[in-house]
Amino acid sequence: MKVTAEKNEQVANMVFASIYPHYLKRIEKNGRTKEELGQVIQWFTGFDQNALQELIDQKASFRTFFQKAKIHSNAHLIKGVVCGYRIEEIEDEFLVYKQCRRMEKLIDELAKGRKMEKILRTEK
């Protein structure tokens, strides 16, 4: 599927705090912990638990969330399909959407029981 400017804008304006509880519920339902979710998000964005909580309290949009993030240098290694979109085919002009899908891919892998050392990608 192709990302549109409208779709990118819709995701960019969503409030991270409104989606985070869904991430948490999904991983906990599958036997993973809030700490593990925090580890995955910190690897991807650089946000520790305090910074993450601050963004949640501020009701930051995904646009603000990713503008403040220090995306991991190995984020380009996150590939695959999330919600019908192949991550590596999402154009860079829709960066917020691409980063959101990358983070969701990591969270999906966590929920599916993948080992942390596989989720937190390293160059080979």
Side-chain angles (χ1 to χ4, degrees), residues 25-86:
K25 183 178 177 186
R26 174 145 193 254
I27 62 113
E28 287 178 339
K29 182 178 75 174
N30 290 293
R32 300 308 283 258
T33 66
K34 181 178 181 177
E35 290 72 26
E36 288 174 308
L37 177 60
Q39 184 180 355
V40 167
I41 292 174
Q42 184 169 359
W43 177 86
F44 184 60
T45 64
F47 298 134
D48 63 15
Q49 195 57 48
N50 290 337
L52 191 61
Q53 190 59 53
E54 210 171 286
L55 288 162
I56 290 169
D57 293 345
Q58 292 170 359
K59 297 193 179 346
S61 67
F62 273 102
R63 176 181 286 113
T64 301
F65 181 86
F66 287 118
Q67 282 173 343
K68 292 184 176 193
K70 291 177 180 68
I71 301 299
H72 196 281
S73 59
N74 287 341
H76 67 279
L77 299 173
I78 304 167
K79 298 180 184 327
V81 178
V82 178
C83 298
Y85 292 90
R86 179 158 293 284

Side-chain angles (χ1 to χ4, degrees), residues 13-23 55-56 59-62:
N13 290 324
M14 289 173 64
V15 175
F16 175 76
S18 67
I19 305 301
Y20 180 78
H22 298 288
Y23 294 156
L55 288 162
I56 290 169
K59 297 193 179 346
S61 67
F62 273 102

